[in-house]
Amino acid sequence: MMENENMELLCLQIITNAGEARSECMTALAAAAEGKFDEAESSMKAAEECRKSAHHVHTQLITMDAGGELNQLSLIMVHSEDIMMSAEITYSLAAEMIKMYRKLAGQA
């Protein structure tokens, strides 16, 4: 069975990376709203890298769970799932909104 500390560290990695992804998406939206599409694209690329990092750790946890290595559900695990899902939603919506900003600016 996995030690609690190790599981918590993995969850904190998800929280950190997914939280950073969400922040980069919001930065991208703010840039797009000002017509700074190169900045918006750069922030979305940074968000994608953070999302990939979070997903990598998430996949590790899923694999461990499937192998019977996780013996409990904790609040921090639930929180990491919540942050990751909100980052996914934020990323998808930000990408669509940036497309709309481009159209409004005549750059679609």
Side-chain angles (χ1 to χ4, degrees), residues 26-98:
M26 297 309 292
T27 298
L29 278 174
E34 294 178 9
K36 299 175 183 175
F37 298 111
D38 288 341
E39 287 180 33
E41 186 176 320
S42 177
S43 290
M44 288 299 285
K45 284 181 183 177
E48 178 62 20
E49 290 305 311
C50 292
R51 286 175 63 230
K52 285 179 184 177
S53 295
H55 273 285
H56 176 72
V57 178
H58 186 249
T59 300
Q60 287 178 325
L61 283 176
I62 290 172
T63 302
M64 294 163 104
D65 189 40
E69 293 179 55
L70 299 179
N71 59 354
Q72 68 182 39
L73 181 64
S74 68
L75 184 57
I76 196 165
M77 187 182 290
V78 172
H79 181 60
S80 70
E81 291 288 312
D82 182 50
I83 296 296
M84 196 170 93
M85 290 310 302
S86 71
E88 291 296 318
I89 293 166
T90 303
Y91 184 85
S92 296
L93 289 175
E96 291 303 312
M97 290 178 71
I98 290 168

